[in-house]
Amino acid sequence: MDTEELLKKVKRIELKTRALTNNVFAGEYRSAFKGRGMSFAEVREYQPGDDVRDIDWNVTARTNRPHIKVYEEERELTVMLLIDVSGSLVFGSGESSQRDVITEIAATLAFSAAQNNDKVGAIFFSDQVELFIPPKKGRKHVLYIIRELLNFKPQSRRTDISVGLEHLMRALSRRSIAFLLSDFLDSKDYSQQLRMVAHRHDLVAVRIYDNRLVRLPNVGLLQVADAETGHVELLDSSSEKVRLWYERHWKKAKKHLEETFKKSGVGLASLATNEDYIEGLKRLMQSR
């Protein structure tokens, strides 16, 4: 992708996702993720209905009128985007690939964080950490993350979820909000890393999948290639037995994934590429 094309694509994503953030999603983000605590803001005169426990007795004695301490939420948070950039995400049967949708979701979350003056960082991972972007504030930093995601070419096409999770543990000692964005096509067990990250950070997982992967269409012989290993196999999709086997395999993998996250205490949203991902994100936030 040349520079001019990249900048146009970044601008299109910014316009779309910032509008969604401002008009649709901002309230859900702010409600779902609270600040670290309360900090002292000012002292003002007592008003009927104020909590008497907040009375500032020193000021009250000095002025001979009751005053209370006013506190405000410490809003600043750190948001980390753990983004799967492995080969399987390039698949797309419609207008958008899984990676396209992940890019838009990441942009929406990043602009939501920036709008609330939160820091945003990112970890791009395959079966290795491909890129670490330390958290910073501001629109320019969000645009930098989007540019990198649009134009990034990973060194590996394979997936290892535990690699991204372990790097987050090493990179950030203070509590953060972490969004794990992937199709979760990883046969390895990463449940221990999930539990460890969820213990220290506020971890939320978003699974993106193409609806065409749920069941095989009846179109005869299909040449199926694994985008991560390169392995090619022929499937006879005209066979009802083969289609049923494939569908059972998908459902079994889906159930195992959901159980893994439930046992680890991590929220999981599954979104198809042809779905309205904003509605899916809103449901996820509202369930917290």
Side-chain angles (χ1 to χ4, degrees):
M1 193 184 299
D2 61 39
T3 304
E4 187 177 350
E5 184 185 354
L6 176 63
L7 291 173
K8 285 180 180 177
K9 197 160 187 179
V10 170
K11 193 65 181 175
R12 282 198 300 272
I13 288 178
E14 181 188 12
L15 289 172
K16 178 179 179 179
T17 56
R18 284 192 77 180
L20 289 170
T21 298
N22 293 336
N23 301 328
V24 182
F25 188 59
E28 277 74 14
Y29 173 88
R30 189 175 180 88
S31 298
F33 302 110
K34 305 294 184 183
R36 289 196 180 90
M38 305 300 288
S39 61
F40 173 74
E42 61 177 345
V43 172
R44 65 164 171 77
E45 202 164 329
Y46 178 88
Q47 297 172 1
D50 287 338
D51 192 334
V52 294
R53 290 173 296 183
D54 292 332
I55 290 177
D56 187 322
W57 294 107
N58 290 330
V59 177
T60 297
R62 195 165 59 245
T63 61
N64 209 26
R65 290 194 305 274
H67 282 70
I68 65 163
K69 294 177 181 177
V70 179
Y71 297 85
E72 64 184 8
E73 183 185 358
E74 289 182 337
R75 187 42 244 181
E76 183 181 302
L77 301 168
T78 297
V79 174
M80 287 300 297
L81 304 172
L82 279 67
I83 303 173
D84 183 352
V85 292
S86 61
S88 60
L89 288 159
V90 300
F91 180 78
S93 61
E95 292 182 4
S96 301
S97 70
Q98 294 168 114
R99 185 164 174 178
D100 291 335
V101 176
I102 279 183
T103 300
E104 289 196 14
I105 290 173
T108 301
L109 293 169
F111 279 122
S112 296
Q115 182 176 305
N116 284 283
N117 204 34
D118 298 335
K119 294 179 181 178
V120 191
I123 298 170
F124 295 1
F125 69 91
S126 52
D127 63 349
Q128 62 189 44
V129 174
E130 299 277 354
L131 179 66
F132 172 61
I133 303 175
K136 291 182 182 177
K137 292 183 181 182
R139 171 180 171 271
K140 285 185 178 179
H141 186 62
V142 171
L143 292 176
Y144 167 65
I145 293 173
I146 296 170
R147 281 198 303 272
E148 287 297 313
L149 189 52
L150 283 170
N151 214 30
F152 192 78
K153 293 179 174 58
Q155 293 182 9
S156 174
R157 298 182 64 81
R158 296 175 182 265
T159 307
D160 191 338
I161 304 290
S162 63
V163 166
L165 294 169
E166 287 170 359
H167 191 78
L168 176 66
M169 291 290 287
R170 290 193 299 270
L172 269 73
S173 57
R174 295 187 68 183
R175 188 172 183 82
S176 70
I177 300 163
F179 290 94
L180 177 57
L181 309 176
S182 175
D183 57 4
F184 295 101
L185 295 182
D186 183 359
S187 59
K188 295 175 287 300
D189 181 16
Y190 49 86
S191 56
Q192 182 181 352
Q193 287 85 355
L194 269 181
R195 288 192 295 271
M196 288 171 61
V197 170
H199 180 71
R200 182 185 295 178
H201 301 278
D202 193 348
L203 179 62
V204 181
V206 181
R207 176 202 187 203
I208 304 303
Y209 66 95
D210 191 293
N211 210 42
R212 185 57 65 87
L213 296 172
V214 177
R215 57 181 59 86
L216 286 176
N218 186 354
V219 291
L221 282 177
L222 280 175
Q223 189 178 62
V224 182
D226 188 315
E228 298 193 4
T229 65
H231 175 73
V232 177
E233 195 170 315
L234 278 177
L235 289 178
D236 183 7
S237 68
S238 64
S239 165
E240 187 178 359
K241 186 178 178 181
V242 170
R243 293 199 306 274
L244 285 172
W245 169 84
Y246 182 90
E247 193 169 340
R248 281 196 299 268
H249 176 74
W250 175 268
K251 288 179 178 177
K252 183 180 177 182
K254 178 175 179 285
K255 185 179 179 182
H256 175 72
L257 182 69
E258 289 169 348
E259 287 175 350
T260 296
F261 278 86
K262 188 175 181 179
K263 288 177 183 176
S264 303
V266 177
L268 172 68
S270 289
L271 306 174
T273 52
N274 61 347
E275 276 187 74
D276 181 350
Y277 63 80
I278 285 294
E279 286 303 313
L281 289 176
K282 284 173 70 176
R283 288 194 301 271
L284 178 63
M285 299 300 173
Q286 289 163 1
S287 68
R288 293 175 58 79

